[in-house]
Amino acid sequence: MDWLPWMLQRELLERREQSRLADEEEYAFRHALIRDGCYAMLPDHDRALGAADAALSSRS
């Protein structure tokens, strides 16, 4: 299942008007509680991968 359209349709995510990444679309959770709940459901390994990816992206 492609989760992005599903989450956008249900207004869990919103597209940011300006992305911090060149030529990339960027999305954000509409509310911190939704974000926290989604991250809490991730297995520890996936959560660690996401944190590492975010750290690398912030250096660029």
Side-chain angles (χ1 to χ4, degrees), residues 19-48:
S19 175
R20 294 174 285 181
L21 306 172
D23 300 322
E24 294 285 333
E25 290 185 354
E26 185 174 350
Y27 299 89
F29 287 99
R30 292 182 60 98
H31 195 281
L33 290 175
I34 295 169
R35 180 199 63 217
D36 293 349
C38 289
Y39 284 125
M41 294 188 315
L42 289 174
D44 290 339
H45 180 262
D46 290 344
R47 198 173 315 136

Side-chain angles (χ1 to χ4, degrees), residues 6-19:
W6 186 88
M7 293 180 82
L8 288 168
Q9 183 180 17
R10 285 156 183 80
E11 298 183 356
L12 300 172
L13 293 177
E14 59 188 0
R15 184 175 179 268
R16 291 190 177 190
E17 291 192 24
Q18 291 187 332
S19 175

